[in-house]
Coordinates of all heavy atoms in Angstrom, one line a residue:
M1 N 103.5 121.3 97.0 CA 103.8 121.2 95.6 C 104.3 119.8 95.3 O 105.2 119.2 95.9 CB 105.0 122.1 95.2 CG 105.5 122.0 93.8 SD 106.7 123.2 93.4 CE 108.2 122.4 94.0
T2 N 103.6 119.1 94.3 CA 103.9 117.8 93.9 C 104.8 117.8 92.7 O 104.6 118.6 91.8 CB 102.6 117.0 93.6 OG1 101.8 117.0 94.7 CG2 103.0 115.6 93.1
I3 N 105.9 117.0 92.7 CA 106.9 117.0 91.6 C 106.6 115.7 90.8 O 106.6 114.6 91.4 CB 108.3 117.0 92.2 CG1 108.5 118.3 93.0 CG2 109.3 117.0 91.1 CD1 109.7 118.3 93.9
S4 N 106.5 115.9 89.5 CA 106.2 114.8 88.6 C 107.0 114.9 87.3 O 107.3 116.0 86.9 CB 104.7 114.7 88.3 OG 104.4 113.7 87.4
Q5 N 107.2 113.8 86.6 CA 107.8 113.8 85.3 C 107.3 112.6 84.6 O 107.3 111.4 85.1 CB 109.3 113.8 85.4 CG 109.9 112.6 86.1 CD 111.4 112.7 86.3 OE1 111.9 113.8 86.5 NE2 112.1 111.6 86.3
N6 N 106.7 112.7 83.4 CA 106.1 111.6 82.6 C 107.1 111.0 81.7 O 108.0 111.6 81.1 CB 104.9 112.1 81.8 CG 103.8 112.6 82.6 OD1 103.6 112.2 83.7 ND2 103.1 113.6 82.1
I7 N 107.0 109.6 81.6 CA 107.9 108.9 80.8 C 107.0 107.9 80.0 O 106.3 107.1 80.6 CB 108.9 108.1 81.7 CG1 109.7 109.0 82.6 CG2 109.8 107.2 80.8 CD1 110.4 108.3 83.7
A8 N 107.2 107.9 78.6 CA 106.5 106.9 77.8 C 107.4 105.6 77.7 O 108.6 105.7 77.4 CB 106.3 107.5 76.4
V9 N 106.7 104.5 78.0 CA 107.4 103.2 78.0 C 106.5 102.3 77.2 O 105.5 101.7 77.8 CB 107.7 102.6 79.4 CG1 108.4 101.3 79.3 CG2 108.5 103.6 80.2
G10 N 106.7 102.1 75.9 CA 105.9 101.2 75.1 C 104.5 101.8 75.1 O 104.2 103.0 74.8
K11 N 103.5 100.9 75.4 CA 102.1 101.4 75.5 C 101.7 102.0 76.8 O 100.6 102.4 77.0 CB 101.2 100.1 75.2 CG 101.2 99.1 76.3 CD 100.2 98.0 76.1 CE 100.2 97.1 77.2 NZ 99.1 96.0 77.0
Y12 N 102.7 102.2 77.7 CA 102.4 102.8 79.0 C 102.9 104.2 79.2 O 103.9 104.6 78.6 CB 103.1 101.9 80.1 CG 102.7 100.5 80.2 CD1 103.4 99.5 79.6 CD2 101.4 100.2 80.8 CE1 103.0 98.2 79.7 CE2 101.0 98.9 80.8 CZ 101.8 97.9 80.3 OH 101.3 96.6 80.3
L13 N 102.2 105.0 80.0 CA 102.7 106.3 80.4 C 102.9 106.2 81.9 O 102.0 106.0 82.6 CB 101.6 107.4 80.0 CG 102.1 108.8 80.5 CD1 103.3 109.3 79.7 CD2 100.9 109.8 80.3
V14 N 104.2 106.4 82.2 CA 104.6 106.3 83.6 C 104.7 107.7 84.2 O 105.4 108.5 83.6 CB 106.0 105.5 83.7 CG1 106.5 105.5 85.2 CG2 105.8 104.1 83.2
S15 N 104.1 108.0 85.3 CA 104.1 109.3 85.9 C 104.5 109.1 87.4 O 103.6 109.0 88.3 CB 102.7 110.0 85.8 OG 102.3 110.1 84.5
P16 N 105.8 109.2 87.7 CA 106.2 109.1 89.1 C 106.0 110.4 89.8 O 106.0 111.5 89.2 CB 107.7 108.8 89.0 CG 108.1 109.4 87.7 CD 106.9 109.2 86.8
L17 N 105.7 110.4 91.1 CA 105.3 111.6 91.8 C 106.1 111.6 93.1 O 106.3 110.6 93.8 CB 103.8 111.6 92.2 CG 102.9 111.5 91.0 CD1 101.4 111.3 91.6 CD2 102.9 112.7 90.2
A18 N 106.6 112.8 93.5 CA 107.2 113.0 94.8 C 106.5 114.2 95.4 O 106.3 115.3 94.9 CB 108.7 113.4 94.6
K19 N 106.0 113.9 96.7 CA 105.2 114.9 97.3 C 105.8 115.2 98.7 O 106.1 114.3 99.5 CB 103.8 114.4 97.6 CG 102.9 115.4 98.2 CD 101.5 114.9 98.3 CE 100.6 116.0 98.9 NZ 99.2 115.6 99.1
P20 N 106.2 116.5 98.9 CA 106.8 116.8 100.2 C 105.8 116.7 101.3 O 104.7 116.9 101.2 CB 107.2 118.3 100.0 CG 106.5 118.8 98.8 CD 106.1 117.6 98.0
Q21 N 106.4 116.1 102.5 CA 105.5 115.9 103.6 C 105.8 116.9 104.7 O 106.9 117.5 104.8 CB 105.9 114.5 104.2 CG 105.6 113.4 103.2 CD 104.2 113.3 102.7 OE1 103.4 112.9 103.5 NE2 104.0 113.6 101.4
E22 N 104.8 117.2 105.5 CA 104.9 118.3 106.5 C 105.9 117.9 107.5 O 106.6 118.8 108.1 CB 103.5 118.4 107.2 CG 102.5 119.1 106.4 CD 101.1 119.2 107.1 OE1 101.1 118.9 108.3 OE2 100.2 119.5 106.5
T23 N 106.1 116.6 107.8 CA 107.1 116.2 108.8 C 108.5 116.2 108.2 O 109.5 115.8 108.9 CB 106.8 114.8 109.3 OG1 106.7 113.9 108.2 CG2 105.4 114.8 110.0
G24 N 108.7 116.4 106.9 CA 110.0 116.4 106.3 C 110.1 115.2 105.4 O 109.4 114.2 105.5
G25 N 110.9 115.2 104.3 CA 111.1 114.2 103.4 C 110.0 114.2 102.3 O 109.1 115.1 102.3
Y26 N 110.1 113.2 101.4 CA 109.2 113.1 100.3 C 108.5 111.8 100.2 O 109.2 110.7 100.4 CB 109.9 113.4 99.0 CG 110.4 114.8 98.9 CD1 111.6 115.2 99.5 CD2 109.7 115.8 98.1 CE1 112.1 116.5 99.4 CE2 110.1 117.1 98.1 CZ 111.3 117.4 98.7 OH 111.7 118.7 98.6
A27 N 107.3 111.7 99.9 CA 106.5 110.5 99.7 C 106.6 110.2 98.2 O 106.6 111.1 97.4 CB 105.1 110.6 100.1
A28 N 106.7 108.9 97.8 CA 106.7 108.5 96.4 C 105.5 107.7 96.0 O 105.0 106.9 96.8 CB 108.0 107.6 96.2
S29 N 105.0 108.0 94.8 CA 104.0 107.2 94.2 C 104.2 107.2 92.7 O 105.0 108.0 92.2 CB 102.6 107.7 94.6 OG 102.4 109.0 94.2
V30 N 103.4 106.4 92.0 CA 103.5 106.4 90.6 C 102.2 105.9 89.9 O 101.5 105.1 90.5 CB 104.7 105.4 90.1 CG1 104.4 103.9 90.4 CG2 105.0 105.6 88.6
S31 N 101.9 106.5 88.8 CA 100.8 106.2 88.0 C 101.3 105.5 86.7 O 102.2 106.0 86.1 CB 99.9 107.4 87.6 OG 99.1 107.1 86.6
I32 N 100.7 104.4 86.4 CA 101.0 103.6 85.1 C 99.7 103.6 84.3 O 98.8 102.8 84.7 CB 101.6 102.2 85.4 CG1 102.8 102.4 86.4 CG2 102.0 101.5 84.1 CD1 103.2 101.0 86.9
R33 N 99.7 104.3 83.2 CA 98.5 104.4 82.4 C 98.7 103.7 81.1 O 99.7 103.8 80.5 CB 98.2 105.9 82.2 CG 96.9 106.1 81.5 CD 96.5 107.6 81.5 NE 96.4 108.1 82.8 CZ 96.7 109.3 83.2 NH1 97.3 110.1 82.4 NH2 96.6 109.6 84.5
S34 N 97.6 103.1 80.6 CA 97.6 102.5 79.3 C 96.2 102.6 78.7 O 95.2 102.8 79.4 CB 98.0 101.0 79.4 OG 97.1 100.3 80.1
G35 N 96.1 102.5 77.4 CA 94.8 102.6 76.7 C 94.5 104.0 76.4 O 95.2 104.9 76.7
Q36 N 93.3 104.2 75.8 CA 92.8 105.5 75.4 C 91.3 105.6 75.6 O 90.6 104.6 75.5 CB 93.1 105.7 73.9 CG 94.5 105.9 73.6 CD 94.7 106.1 72.1 OE1 93.8 106.0 71.3 NE2 95.9 106.6 71.7
G37 N 90.8 106.8 75.8 CA 89.3 107.0 75.9 C 88.7 106.2 77.0 O 89.2 106.1 78.2
S38 N 87.6 105.6 76.7 CA 86.9 104.8 77.7 C 87.6 103.5 78.1 O 87.2 102.8 79.0 CB 85.5 104.4 77.2 OG 85.5 103.7 76.1
A39 N 88.7 103.1 77.3 CA 89.5 101.9 77.6 C 90.7 102.2 78.4 O 91.6 101.3 78.5 CB 89.8 101.2 76.3
T40 N 90.9 103.4 78.9 CA 92.0 103.8 79.7 C 92.1 103.0 81.0 O 91.0 102.9 81.7 CB 92.1 105.3 79.9 OG1 92.1 105.9 78.7 CG2 93.3 105.7 80.7
H41 N 93.2 102.5 81.3 CA 93.4 101.8 82.6 C 94.6 102.5 83.3 O 95.6 102.8 82.7 CB 93.8 100.4 82.4 CG 94.0 99.6 83.7 ND1 93.0 99.2 84.5 CD2 95.1 99.3 84.3 CE1 93.5 98.6 85.5 NE2 94.8 98.6 85.5
D42 N 94.4 102.8 84.6 CA 95.4 103.6 85.4 C 95.6 102.8 86.6 O 94.8 102.7 87.5 CB 94.9 105.0 85.6 CG 96.0 105.9 86.1 OD1 97.2 105.5 86.1 OD2 95.7 107.1 86.5
R43 N 96.9 102.3 86.8 CA 97.3 101.7 88.1 C 98.1 102.7 88.9 O 99.0 103.3 88.3 CB 98.2 100.5 87.8 CG 98.8 99.9 89.0 CD 99.6 98.6 88.7 NE 98.7 97.5 88.3 CZ 98.1 96.7 89.2 NH1 98.3 96.9 90.5 NH2 97.3 95.7 88.8
V44 N 97.8 102.8 90.2 CA 98.5 103.8 91.0 C 99.1 103.0 92.1 O 98.5 102.2 92.8 CB 97.6 104.9 91.6 CG1 98.4 105.8 92.5 CG2 97.0 105.7 90.4
M45 N 100.4 103.2 92.3 CA 101.1 102.6 93.5 C 101.6 103.7 94.4 O 102.2 104.7 94.0 CB 102.4 101.8 92.9 CG 102.0 100.7 92.0 SD 103.6 99.9 91.5 CE 103.0 98.9 90.1
R46 N 101.3 103.5 95.7 CA 101.9 104.4 96.7 C 102.8 103.6 97.6 O 102.5 102.5 98.0 CB 100.7 104.9 97.5 CG 99.8 105.9 96.7 CD 98.7 106.5 97.6 NE 97.9 107.4 96.8 CZ 96.8 106.9 96.2 NH1 96.4 105.7 96.3 NH2 96.1 107.8 95.5
F47 N 104.0 104.2 97.8 CA 105.0 103.5 98.6 C 105.2 104.0 100.0 O 105.0 105.2 100.3 CB 106.3 103.6 97.8 CG 106.2 103.2 96.4 CD1 106.2 104.1 95.3 CD2 106.2 101.8 96.1 CE1 106.1 103.7 94.0 CE2 106.1 101.4 94.8 CZ 106.0 102.3 93.8
T48 N 105.5 103.1 100.9 CA 105.7 103.5 102.3 C 107.1 104.0 102.5 O 107.9 103.8 101.6 CB 105.4 102.3 103.3 OG1 106.4 101.3 102.9 CG2 104.0 101.8 103.2
G49 N 107.3 104.7 103.5 CA 108.6 105.3 103.8 C 108.8 106.7 103.1 O 108.0 107.1 102.3
L50 N 109.7 107.4 103.6 CA 110.0 108.8 103.1 C 111.4 108.8 102.5 O 112.3 108.0 103.0 CB 109.9 109.8 104.2 CG 108.5 110.0 104.8 CD1 108.5 111.0 106.0 CD2 107.5 110.5 103.8
F51 N 111.6 109.7 101.6 CA 112.9 109.9 100.9 C 113.5 111.2 101.3 O 112.7 112.2 101.5 CB 112.7 109.7 99.4 CG 112.2 108.3 99.1 CD1 110.9 108.0 99.1 CD2 113.1 107.3 98.7 CE1 110.4 106.7 98.8 CE2 112.7 106.0 98.4 CZ 111.3 105.7 98.4
D52 N 114.8 111.3 101.3 CA 115.5 112.6 101.7 C 115.3 113.7 100.6 O 115.4 114.8 100.9 CB 117.0 112.3 101.9 CG 117.2 111.5 103.1 OD1 116.4 111.5 104.0 OD2 118.2 110.8 103.2
S53 N 115.1 113.3 99.3 CA 115.0 114.2 98.3 C 113.9 113.8 97.3 O 113.5 112.6 97.2 CB 116.3 114.3 97.5 OG 116.6 113.1 96.8
A54 N 113.4 114.8 96.6 CA 112.4 114.5 95.5 C 113.0 113.6 94.4 O 112.3 112.7 94.0 CB 111.9 115.8 94.9
A55 N 114.2 113.8 94.1 CA 114.9 113.0 93.1 C 114.9 111.5 93.5 O 114.7 110.6 92.7 CB 116.3 113.5 92.8
A56 N 115.2 111.3 94.8 CA 115.3 109.9 95.3 C 113.9 109.3 95.3 O 113.7 108.1 94.8 CB 115.9 109.9 96.7
A57 N 112.8 110.0 95.6 CA 111.5 109.5 95.5 C 111.1 109.2 94.1 O 110.4 108.2 93.9 CB 110.5 110.5 96.2
L58 N 111.4 110.1 93.2 CA 111.0 109.9 91.8 C 111.8 108.7 91.2 O 111.2 107.9 90.5 CB 111.4 111.1 91.0 CG 110.5 112.4 91.2 CD1 111.1 113.6 90.4 CD2 109.1 112.1 90.8
H59 N 113.1 108.5 91.6 CA 113.8 107.4 91.1 C 113.2 106.1 91.6 O 113.0 105.1 90.8 CB 115.3 107.5 91.5 CG 116.1 106.4 91.1 ND1 116.6 106.2 89.9 CD2 116.6 105.4 91.8 CE1 117.3 105.1 89.8 NE2 117.3 104.5 91.0
Y60 N 112.9 106.0 92.8 CA 112.3 104.8 93.4 C 111.0 104.4 92.7 O 110.8 103.3 92.4 CB 112.1 105.0 94.9 CG 111.6 103.8 95.7 CD1 112.5 102.8 96.1 CD2 110.2 103.6 95.9 CE1 112.1 101.6 96.7 CE2 109.8 102.4 96.6 CZ 110.7 101.5 97.0 OH 110.3 100.3 97.6
A61 N 110.1 105.4 92.5 CA 108.8 105.2 91.9 C 109.0 104.7 90.5 O 108.3 103.8 90.0 CB 108.0 106.5 92.0
T62 N 109.9 105.4 89.7 CA 110.2 105.0 88.3 C 110.7 103.6 88.3 O 110.2 102.8 87.4 CB 111.2 106.0 87.7 OG1 110.7 107.3 87.8 CG2 111.5 105.6 86.3
E63 N 111.7 103.2 89.1 CA 112.2 101.9 89.1 C 111.2 100.8 89.3 O 111.1 99.8 88.7 CB 113.4 101.8 90.0 CG 114.6 102.5 89.6 CD 115.2 102.1 88.3 OE1 115.4 100.9 88.1 OE2 115.5 103.0 87.4
N64 N 110.3 101.1 90.3 CA 109.2 100.1 90.6 C 108.3 100.0 89.4 O 107.8 98.9 89.1 CB 108.5 100.5 91.9 CG 109.2 100.0 93.1 OD1 109.1 98.9 93.5 ND2 110.1 100.8 93.7
A65 N 107.9 101.1 88.8 CA 107.0 101.1 87.6 C 107.6 100.3 86.5 O 107.0 99.4 85.9 CB 106.7 102.5 87.2
L66 N 109.0 100.5 86.2 CA 109.6 99.8 85.1 C 109.7 98.3 85.4 O 109.5 97.5 84.5 CB 111.0 100.4 84.9 CG 111.0 101.8 84.4 CD1 112.5 102.3 84.3 CD2 110.3 102.0 83.1
A67 N 109.9 97.9 86.7 CA 109.9 96.5 87.1 C 108.5 95.9 86.9 O 108.4 94.8 86.4 CB 110.4 96.4 88.5
W68 N 107.5 96.6 87.2 CA 106.1 96.2 87.0 C 105.8 95.9 85.5 O 105.2 94.9 85.2 CB 105.1 97.2 87.6 CG 103.7 96.7 87.6 CD1 103.0 96.0 88.6 CD2 102.7 97.0 86.6 NE1 101.7 95.8 88.2 CE2 101.5 96.4 87.0 CE3 102.8 97.6 85.4 CZ2 100.4 96.4 86.2 CZ3 101.6 97.7 84.6 CH2 100.4 97.1 85.0
I69 N 106.2 96.9 84.7 CA 106.0 96.8 83.3 C 106.8 95.6 82.7 O 106.3 94.8 81.9 CB 106.4 98.0 82.6 CG1 105.4 99.2 82.9 CG2 106.4 97.9 81.0 CD1 105.8 100.6 82.5
Q70 N 108.0 95.5 83.1 CA 108.9 94.3 82.6 C 108.3 93.0 83.0 O 108.3 92.0 82.2 CB 110.3 94.5 83.2 CG 111.2 93.4 82.6 CD 112.6 93.5 83.1 OE1 113.0 94.4 83.9 NE2 113.5 92.6 82.6
E71 N 107.8 92.9 84.2 CA 107.2 91.6 84.7 C 106.0 91.3 83.8 O 105.8 90.1 83.5 CB 106.7 91.8 86.1 CG 106.2 90.6 86.8 CD 105.8 90.9 88.2 OE1 106.7 91.2 89.0 OE2 104.7 90.7 88.6
R72 N 105.2 92.2 83.4 CA 104.1 91.9 82.6 C 104.4 91.7 81.1 O 103.7 91.1 80.3 CB 103.0 93.0 82.7 CG 102.1 92.7 83.8 CD 102.0 93.9 84.8 NE 101.5 93.5 86.0 CZ 102.2 93.2 87.1 NH1 103.5 93.1 87.0 NH2 101.6 92.8 88.2
S73 N 105.6 92.1 80.7 CA 106.0 92.0 79.3 C 106.8 90.7 79.1 O 107.0 90.3 77.9 CB 106.9 93.2 78.9 OG 106.2 94.4 79.0
S74 N 107.2 90.0 80.1 CA 108.0 88.7 80.0 C 107.1 87.6 79.6 O 105.8 87.6 79.9 CB 108.6 88.4 81.4 OG 109.5 89.3 81.8
P75 N 107.6 86.7 78.8 CA 106.7 85.6 78.3 C 106.2 84.8 79.5 O 106.9 84.7 80.5 CB 107.7 84.7 77.5 CG 108.8 85.6 77.1 CD 108.9 86.7 78.2
V76 N 105.0 84.3 79.4 CA 104.4 83.6 80.6 C 105.1 82.4 80.8 O 105.6 81.6 80.0 CB 102.9 83.2 80.2 CG1 102.3 82.4 81.3 CG2 102.1 84.5 79.9
G77 N 105.4 82.2 82.2 CA 106.1 81.0 82.6 C 107.6 81.0 82.6 O 108.3 80.1 83.0
L78 N 108.2 82.1 82.1 CA 109.6 82.3 82.1 C 110.0 83.4 83.0 O 109.4 84.4 83.1 CB 110.1 82.7 80.6 CG 109.9 81.7 79.6 CD1 110.4 82.2 78.2 CD2 110.6 80.3 79.9
S79 N 111.1 83.1 83.8 CA 111.6 84.2 84.6 C 112.8 84.8 83.9 O 113.2 84.3 82.9 CB 112.1 83.6 86.0 OG 113.2 82.7 85.8
C80 N 113.3 85.9 84.4 CA 114.4 86.6 83.7 C 115.6 85.7 83.6 O 116.3 85.8 82.6 CB 114.7 87.9 84.5 SG 113.4 89.1 84.4
T81 N 115.9 84.9 84.5 CA 117.1 84.0 84.4 C 116.9 82.9 83.4 O 117.9 82.5 82.8 CB 117.4 83.4 85.8 OG1 116.2 82.7 86.2 CG2 117.8 84.4 86.8
A82 N 115.7 82.5 83.1 CA 115.4 81.5 82.1 C 115.5 82.2 80.7 O 115.6 81.4 79.7 CB 114.0 80.9 82.3
C83 N 115.3 83.5 80.6 CA 115.3 84.1 79.3 C 116.8 84.3 78.7 O 116.9 84.6 77.6 CB 114.7 85.5 79.3 SG 113.0 85.4 79.8
V84 N 117.8 84.1 79.6 CA 119.1 84.4 79.2 C 119.7 83.2 78.4 O 119.5 82.1 78.6 CB 120.0 84.7 80.4 CG1 121.5 85.0 79.9 CG2 119.4 85.9 81.1

């Protein structure tokens, strides 16, 4: 059974996933979708390592997706410390 929860973030739909592994623990991945119809783009990230709980795997995947989105939303040439 795969555990997922969708989160809308601006123009993106973030879908973190936690999948139980046969050896124990949970694997984390996330889908970041944007666009509609034939212009839909879906980026999928799969992370190494296992997590003790589904909640921990979902949290890790969500945080990485939000960081990816924030990185692409920042003005070109500016880092977060330069924006302050």
Side-chain angles (χ1 to χ4, degrees):
M1 173 177 84
T2 301
I3 301 165
S4 175
Q5 57 188 37
N6 295 331
I7 305 163
V9 181
K11 67 177 186 175
Y12 299 100
L13 179 63
V14 175
S15 302
L17 304 168
K19 185 174 181 183
Q21 302 299 293
E22 290 179 9
T23 58
Y26 292 83
S29 62
V30 66
S31 163
I32 306 168
R33 184 173 300 144
S34 63
Q36 294 181 345
S38 62
T40 300
H41 180 77
D42 195 7
R43 169 177 292 276
V44 176
M45 297 179 195
R46 292 183 180 92
F47 305 103
T48 59
L50 294 178
F51 297 86
D52 293 334
S53 68
L58 291 173
H59 178 75
Y60 185 83
T62 301
E63 290 300 312
N64 276 275
L66 295 176
W68 185 88
I69 291 169
Q70 182 177 4
E71 185 178 299
R72 273 128 196 93
S73 300
S74 297
V76 177
L78 296 178
S79 66
C80 291
T81 56
C83 297
V84 181

